[in-house]
Amino acid sequence: MDRYEQIFPRLTDAQLSRISAAGQHRGVQAGELLFEAGDQNTDFFVVISGGIEIVRPVAGREQPVALLGPGQFTGEINMLSARRAWARGRVAADGSIIALDRDGLHAMVQRDPELSEILLRAFILRRVALINQSDNDLVLLGSRHSLGTQRIKEFLTRNGEPFTYHDVETEPGMQAMLDRLQIGINEVPVVVCQEGYVLRNPSIEGLASALGLTPELDARTVRDVVIVGGGPAGLGAAVYAASEGLDVLVLESTAPGGQAGTSSRIENYLGFPTGISGLALAGRALTQAEKFGAEVAIARSAVRFNCDQRPYRVHLSDGEVVQARTIVIATGARYRKLDVPALSRFEGAGIFYSATHLEAQSCKEEEIAVVGGGNSAGQAAVFLSGIASRVHVVVRGRSLADSMSRYLIQRIESSRNVELRTRTRIESLEGEDRLERVGWRHLETGAPETRPIRNLFVMTGADPNTTWLKGCVVLDEKNFVKTGADLETDELAEARWPLSRRPHLMETSIPGVFAVGDVRSASVKRVASAVGEGSICVQLIHRALQEL
């Protein structure tokens, strides 16, 4: 089967019969509009006779995508989450179709493995094709020197949103475009949305809302479980909880995947012998969770936790409140920053906290540096060594042996353009509009050195995201969440643990509140471990729900 046949497959009579039993048949006439670009919660259509033309409105014109004939179907990955449609669907010739609403589609992909594989593969490939197109109706106007531009590019990329980027400083004709849109140069970054309206230097929350990435949340609804954090642990819990019939809501502050989602390549994750990017792994996990019916809210951050009574209440940054019988804390950790003057000035303009293809675009044939001695730093150095002319790996320790996997150390040692600098500390950052030079000093000899480095990747670990939990659950001395056997008897007494049993394996000092992944005290900071904790936690959630 070639690529086109995977993107636009033709269903067999037997497959059509199974869809027919679940959907509604109706006749259609040429010219009838089935869905419009920007519509949310659109139906899924299968052509029985006649045809459906799929076009994308771009810059006032229609860009043909496909002409679907008998046995072919509409939709892409947004159908699982009720997000906005990226194309217009119009009947091309009189005929008949089968229509399924979103609930019907979910039921279909959950109970029919054969159809699930065909539909989800097509949905994913259609989204990939959209992302790879150079001409999209979501346009970002910005500058490579702008932290705001980098922030929005990263958000759109990590959330799989197709967009076209124009640099207002380097591309010809940009001033005319800004004048036409009545945008001042000081207002960039600017996002021009599908419907033609303009967002000037939007917040991530505002952009997510405009793109339909944030579903409306009913404060009166009490979920079985609210999972705070959409990294590997949170998504692992979501997949297993939703697949076992629980009502699941995932709250993610930025994009699925957490810190793992920013990794250029994970090579020691089970089942992927050639490796997989963090972005791809996160995307697949998100699709799995949504396939089973989990609801995922992007750009929704927890700021406060009411833990004194059930149902528990989580307060969000936009003022909304969600309720749940059980809570899974999977908020992971935030990037640790260097204690160097002018750091904030160059963030997004030469200083990065992830190393994906997005950041790597500015590193071609450049001399760069990676700070850190863990696996994330090693993965970044190996990935960037294939793009940059020279990579400095800067660590304070004497070696990488205690903090990095052996296979990464071997890759670094065998790379001709990677230079390991042990017992070294970054001391200065210099430049005008962006980073231009980095200075460091050897901790033992005191010898300073300044290099013409325009891209510095900081991979120095992270601190737990637990400020929203203060006063609720017991934390350790580093503010990670204590669970299970790690909770001392006096800590449980002080927390007024109300049950005769002790907390379950990943249960916190509050019944029915669990912590998984990097945020949990004494957890193994690996993707596979986080996914495992998320899946194990679901069995404990069932026990907690039975106690209510």
Side-chain angles (χ1 to χ4, degrees), residues 222-271:
V222 179
R223 312 271 183 159
D224 290 325
V225 56
V226 165
I227 301 169
V228 187
L235 289 175
V239 167
Y240 283 89
S243 69
E244 294 176 15
L246 298 182
D247 181 6
V248 180
L249 171 66
V250 180
L251 302 171
E252 168 51 44
S253 62
T254 307
Q259 285 200 68
T262 68
S263 178
S264 55
R265 184 153 294 271
I266 302 168
E267 294 195 59
N268 59 351
Y269 189 73
L270 186 68

Side-chain angles (χ1 to χ4, degrees), residues 189-464:
V190 167
V191 178
V192 183
C193 296
Q194 192 175 49
E195 294 77 13
Y197 58 88
V198 175
L199 301 175
R200 291 168 167 81
N201 194 15
S203 66
I204 291 301
E205 292 80 4
L207 179 58
S209 178
L211 296 179
L213 299 181
T214 54
E216 292 185 7
L217 302 176
D218 188 346
R220 298 167 298 179
T221 300
V222 179
R223 312 271 183 159
D224 290 325
V225 56
V226 165
I227 301 169
V228 187
L235 289 175
V239 167
Y240 283 89
S243 69
E244 294 176 15
L246 298 182
D247 181 6
V248 180
L249 171 66
V250 180
L251 302 171
E252 168 51 44
S253 62
T254 307
Q259 285 200 68
T262 68
S263 178
S264 55
R265 184 153 294 271
I266 302 168
E267 294 195 59
N268 59 351
Y269 189 73
L270 186 68
F272 295 92
T274 60
I276 184 171
S277 72
L279 184 65
L281 185 63
R284 294 183 185 195
L286 176 65
T287 298
Q288 273 185 299
E290 292 181 333
K291 163 188 170 179
F292 289 117
E295 188 172 17
V296 181
I298 300 297
R300 297 292 180 90
S301 301
V303 295
R304 187 160 59 88
F305 182 28
N306 276 10
C307 56
D308 53 351
Q309 63 180 10
R310 279 181 165 172
Y312 298 124
R313 295 162 64 89
V314 178
H315 296 255
L316 308 183
S317 55
D318 59 2
E320 292 194 86
V321 177
V322 294
Q323 300 187 76
R325 299 176 181 87
T326 62
I327 301 289
V328 175
I329 302 165
T331 43
R334 59 186 176 275
Y335 300 116
R336 197 172 292 152
K337 299 189 177 185
L338 298 174
D339 184 15
V340 182
L343 177 75
S344 60
R345 181 175 150 209
F346 296 119
E347 287 180 313
I351 292 180
F352 306 103
Y353 297 94
S354 59
T356 68
H357 291 280
L358 180 65
E359 292 82 14
Q361 292 173 7
S362 61
C363 298
K364 189 173 183 179
E365 299 303 321
E366 293 254 352
E367 182 176 351
I368 68 169
V370 176
V371 184
N375 275 7
S376 294
Q379 289 162 352
V382 170
F383 168 62
L384 294 168
S385 68
I387 300 167
S389 61
R390 188 178 184 186
V391 179
H392 301 273
V393 178
V394 181
V395 295
R396 292 191 179 194
R398 297 185 182 279
S399 74
L400 300 174
D402 293 335
S403 56
M404 189 179 292
S405 295
R406 183 60 193 165
Y407 82 93
L408 287 170
I409 296 175
Q410 291 173 336
R411 294 275 182 88
I412 288 172
E413 291 174 343
S414 63
S415 296
R416 289 181 295 178
N417 63 335
V418 178
E419 184 173 346
L420 177 61
R421 294 182 174 274
T422 59
R423 302 294 292 150
T424 301
R425 179 178 62 201
I426 302 293
E427 289 210 331
S428 64
L429 306 170
E430 303 172 12
E432 296 298 328
D433 294 332
R434 65 160 291 126
L435 183 67
E436 295 174 5
R437 293 172 298 280
V438 175
W440 54 65
R441 184 181 299 274
H442 195 274
L443 294 174
E444 294 178 357
T445 67
E449 184 176 3
T450 299
R451 302 293 306 175
I453 290 173
R454 293 161 45 84
N455 295 282
L456 179 67
F457 294 83
V458 181
M459 309 283 185
T460 52
D463 297 312

